[in-house]
Amino acid sequence: MTASSASFKRSPLAMAVLGILHLEPMHPYAVQRRIKEWGKDKVVNVGQRAQLYKTIARLQDAGLVAVRETGREQQYPERTVYEITDAGRAACLGWINDMIATPRNEFPEFPAALSFLMLLGPDGARAELEKRAAAVRAALDEIDTGMAQARQFGLPRVTLLEDEYQRAVTEAELRWLEAVLADLAGGTLTWSWESLAQFQNQTTA
């Protein structure tokens, strides 16, 4: 692995690109299409093609992918086909090993917002958490539908592990949301500006 590839700042999208190219060379549009066809766009943000092109350019600069060929297909504009390099294969497998084995705090938005939920007041917090619970229920139904369809196609379980994980996390979040909402409705979870001010005075004393 070269110095530039060793210092490359990895991302889920970069890992997905290398993973796709690990199987066969292809052009960026085909990479994006393959990620969507395989349902990996549920865990990798590949919605903006410009970001995909930037990621591939960074991978090329780092020596992790290389240009295989440039050609034109009938009505399509000129397309560059990329292939993974030996350094790219090593980096891809190393990233996967590390991402799976080592938990990291990825600073998602929801926990950050929860840390300031008190600013909404009990009623406001309950209203917004009810909206989230409804959205999470819908997401859980969507995951179940997708997994059922995948099983009908006979896909190997190993290709659906991210769906299993997402379902487990989504189901756990829904249970937690329902428990918090029950406490808010029952009055066992409540607060006021006075109680928060008193707590702040205690912590700063």
Side-chain angles (χ1 to χ4, degrees), residues 117 120-135 177 180-181 184-185 191:
L117 186 71
L120 300 182
D123 292 339
R126 181 181 175 185
E128 299 309 316
L129 289 174
E130 284 176 344
K131 293 178 186 176
R132 185 177 184 93
L177 284 167
V180 172
L181 285 168
L184 284 166
W191 62 92

Coordinates of all heavy atoms in Angstrom, one line a residue, residues 117 120-135 177 180-181 184-185 191:
L117 N -33.4 17.7 23.9 CA -34.8 17.5 23.8 C -35.6 18.4 24.8 O -36.7 18.8 24.6 CB -35.2 16.0 24.0 CG -36.6 15.7 23.8 CD1 -37.0 15.7 22.3 CD2 -36.9 14.2 24.3
L120 N -37.7 21.5 24.0 CA -39.0 21.4 23.4 C -40.2 21.4 24.5 O -41.3 21.6 24.1 CB -39.1 20.2 22.5 CG -38.2 20.1 21.4 CD1 -38.4 18.8 20.5 CD2 -38.2 21.3 20.5
G121 N -39.8 21.1 25.7 CA -40.8 20.9 26.7 C -41.5 19.5 26.6 O -41.4 18.9 25.5
P122 N -42.1 19.0 27.6 CA -42.7 17.6 27.6 C -43.7 17.5 26.4 O -43.7 16.4 25.7 CB -43.3 17.5 28.9 CG -42.5 18.4 29.8 CD -42.2 19.6 29.0
D123 N -44.6 18.4 26.3 CA -45.6 18.3 25.2 C -45.0 18.3 23.8 O -45.3 17.5 22.9 CB -46.7 19.4 25.4 CG -47.5 19.2 26.6 OD1 -47.6 18.1 27.1 OD2 -48.1 20.2 27.1
G124 N -44.1 19.3 23.6 CA -43.4 19.3 22.3 C -42.6 18.1 22.0 O -42.6 17.6 20.9
A125 N -41.9 17.6 23.0 CA -41.1 16.4 22.8 C -41.9 15.2 22.5 O -41.6 14.4 21.6 CB -40.3 16.2 24.1
R126 N -43.1 15.1 23.2 CA -44.0 14.0 22.9 C -44.5 14.1 21.5 O -44.5 13.0 20.8 CB -45.1 14.0 23.9 CG -46.1 12.9 23.7 CD -47.2 13.0 24.7 NE -48.3 11.9 24.5 CZ -49.4 11.8 25.1 NH1 -49.7 12.7 26.1 NH2 -50.3 10.9 24.9
A127 N -44.9 15.2 21.0 CA -45.4 15.4 19.7 C -44.4 15.0 18.6 O -44.7 14.3 17.6 CB -45.8 16.8 19.4
E128 N -43.1 15.4 18.8 CA -42.1 15.1 17.8 C -41.7 13.6 17.8 O -41.4 13.0 16.8 CB -40.9 16.0 18.0 CG -41.2 17.5 17.8 CD -41.9 17.8 16.5 OE1 -41.6 17.3 15.5 OE2 -42.9 18.6 16.6
L129 N -41.6 13.1 19.0 CA -41.3 11.7 19.2 C -42.4 10.8 18.6 O -42.1 9.7 18.1 CB -41.0 11.3 20.6 CG -39.7 11.9 21.2 CD1 -39.6 11.6 22.7 CD2 -38.5 11.3 20.5
E130 N -43.6 11.2 18.7 CA -44.7 10.4 18.1 C -44.6 10.4 16.5 O -44.8 9.4 15.9 CB -46.1 11.0 18.5 CG -46.5 10.7 19.9 CD -47.8 11.4 20.3 OE1 -48.2 12.3 19.7 OE2 -48.3 10.9 21.3
K131 N -44.1 11.6 16.0 CA -43.9 11.6 14.5 C -42.8 10.6 14.1 O -42.9 9.9 13.2 CB -43.5 13.0 14.1 CG -44.6 14.1 14.2 CD -44.1 15.4 13.9 CE -45.2 16.5 14.1 NZ -44.6 17.9 13.8
R132 N -41.7 10.6 14.9 CA -40.6 9.8 14.6 C -41.0 8.3 14.8 O -40.7 7.5 13.9 CB -39.4 10.1 15.5 CG -38.2 9.2 15.2 CD -37.0 9.6 16.0 NE -35.8 8.8 15.6 CZ -34.9 9.3 14.7 NH1 -35.0 10.5 14.2 NH2 -33.9 8.5 14.3
A133 N -41.8 8.0 15.8 CA -42.2 6.6 16.0 C -43.0 6.1 14.8 O -42.9 5.0 14.3 CB -43.0 6.5 17.3
A134 N -43.9 7.0 14.3 CA -44.7 6.6 13.1 C -43.8 6.4 11.9 O -44.0 5.4 11.1 CB -45.7 7.7 12.8
A135 N -42.8 7.2 11.7 CA -41.9 7.0 10.6 C -41.0 5.8 10.8 O -40.8 5.1 9.8 CB -40.9 8.3 10.5
L177 N -38.6 4.2 21.7 CA -39.5 5.3 21.5 C -40.9 5.1 22.1 O -41.4 6.0 22.8 CB -39.7 5.6 20.0 CG -38.6 6.2 19.2 CD1 -38.8 6.1 17.7 CD2 -38.4 7.7 19.6
V180 N -40.5 5.5 25.9 CA -40.4 6.9 26.3 C -41.7 7.7 26.1 O -42.1 8.5 27.0 CB -39.3 7.6 25.4 CG1 -39.3 9.1 25.7 CG2 -37.9 7.0 25.8
L181 N -42.4 7.4 25.0 CA -43.7 8.0 24.8 C -44.7 7.6 25.9 O -45.5 8.5 26.4 CB -44.3 7.7 23.4 CG -43.6 8.4 22.3 CD1 -44.0 7.7 21.0 CD2 -44.0 9.8 22.3
L184 N -43.8 9.7 28.9 CA -44.3 11.1 28.7 C -45.8 11.2 28.9 O -46.3 12.1 29.6 CB -43.9 11.6 27.4 CG -42.4 12.0 27.2 CD1 -42.1 12.1 25.7 CD2 -42.1 13.2 27.9
A185 N -46.6 10.2 28.4 CA -48.0 10.2 28.5 C -48.4 10.0 29.9 O -49.4 10.6 30.4 CB -48.6 9.2 27.6
W191 N -40.5 17.5 33.0 CA -39.5 18.5 33.4 C -40.1 19.9 33.2 O -41.2 20.1 32.6 CB -38.2 18.4 32.7 CG -38.3 18.6 31.2 CD1 -38.1 19.8 30.5 CD2 -38.6 17.6 30.2 NE1 -38.3 19.6 29.2 CE2 -38.6 18.3 28.9 CE3 -38.9 16.3 30.2 CZ2 -38.9 17.6 27.8 CZ3 -39.2 15.6 29.1 CH2 -39.2 16.3 27.8

